[in-house]
């Protein structure tokens, strides 16, 4: 199972919106509404930000939103803040009943 | 509120095995799935496998088949991940996480260093 493809880096100024893409295949992202997104700060465990494509867990800011079109899922961060600077990973359920992560995206707040 | 607490850092020789534990509190341990995810230094996340304690069934990513064993002890609400035939490339932080097509919460991570 190959890793899902994410851009290596995305940057934006405070207050702007950015979008991170996550591209897979019809055997993972495109085949199931089980895409999730994680935020990871240096030296910390990942934190769930979005599950089932577009649902936010309790306590996660509504500045984070998720969507999917075909084999590509997206995470949008609106009103970018300094604290959003971190690595972001997508994950998807697969047709093999396994899970696969994306390659990861480093978000920089300029 | 489910919390997962992992065992401490390990240093192992190439060719040996390591067993990392993940103790759960809160919730009903048998009713949820525990996955293991690793992250090599400066690298991304990699799913290794899962166990469903109530069924005692584990399945693994193809990459780790034959080298990883995930078990669970319902009496102590603890899951274990054992990785054998260690090599330098296995140096990583190993995380456990409750899985439900997503991962939440996560354990704090266990650093395993493989070095001669």
């Amino acid at each position: 199972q190959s890793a899902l493809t994410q851009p290596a880096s995305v940057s934006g100024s405070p207050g702007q919106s950015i979008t991170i893409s996550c591209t897979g295949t019809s055997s993972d992202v495109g085949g199931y509404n089980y895409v999730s997104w994680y935020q990871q700060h240096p030296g910390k465990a990942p934190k769930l930000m979005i599950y089932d494509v577009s649902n936010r867990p309790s306590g996660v800011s509504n500045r984070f939103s998720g969507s999917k079109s075909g084999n590509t899922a997206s995470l949008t961060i609106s009103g970018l803040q300094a604290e959003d600077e971190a690595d972001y990973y997508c994950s998807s359920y697969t047709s093999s009943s396994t899970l696969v992560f994306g390659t990861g995206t480093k978000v920089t707040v300029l | 509120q489910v919390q997962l607490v992992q065992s401490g850092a390990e240093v192992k020789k190439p060719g040996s095995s390591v067993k990392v534990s993940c103790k759960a509190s809160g919730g009903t341990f048998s009713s949820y799935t525990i996955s293991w995810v690793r992250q090599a230094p400066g690298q991304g996340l990699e799913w290794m496998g899962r166990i469903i304690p109530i069924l005692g069934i584990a399945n693994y990513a193809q990459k780790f088949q034959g080298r990883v064993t995930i078990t669970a002890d319902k009496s102590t609400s603890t899951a274990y991940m054992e990785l054998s035939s260690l090599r330098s490339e296995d140096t990583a932080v190993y995380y456990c996480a409750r899985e439900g097509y997503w991962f939440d919460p996560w354990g704090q991570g266990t650093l395993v260093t493989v070095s001669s």
Side-chain angles (χ1 to χ4, degrees), chain A residues 1 34-36 38 40 43-48 50-52 57 87 89 91-93 97-103, chain B residues 35-37 39 42-48 50 59-62 95 99-109:
Chain A
Q1 182 71 49
Y34 293 136
V35 176
S36 52
Y38 303 87
Q40 187 180 34
K44 300 294 187 182
K47 175 187 176 183
L48 177 67
I50 296 286
Y51 67 97
D52 295 352
D87 294 326
Y89 295 90
S91 176
S92 175
Y93 184 73
S97 300
T98 61
L99 287 133
V100 62
F101 284 99
T103 50
Chain B
S35 269
W36 288 87
V37 175
Q39 186 172 37
Q43 302 301 308
L45 302 172
E46 187 172 31
W47 185 77
M48 300 179 69
R50 65 162 74 86
N59 49 39
Y60 308 111
Q62 192 170 6
Y95 295 99
E99 183 208 314
Y101 301 121
W102 31 257
F103 304 99
D104 182 66
W106 294 64
Q108 83 275 22

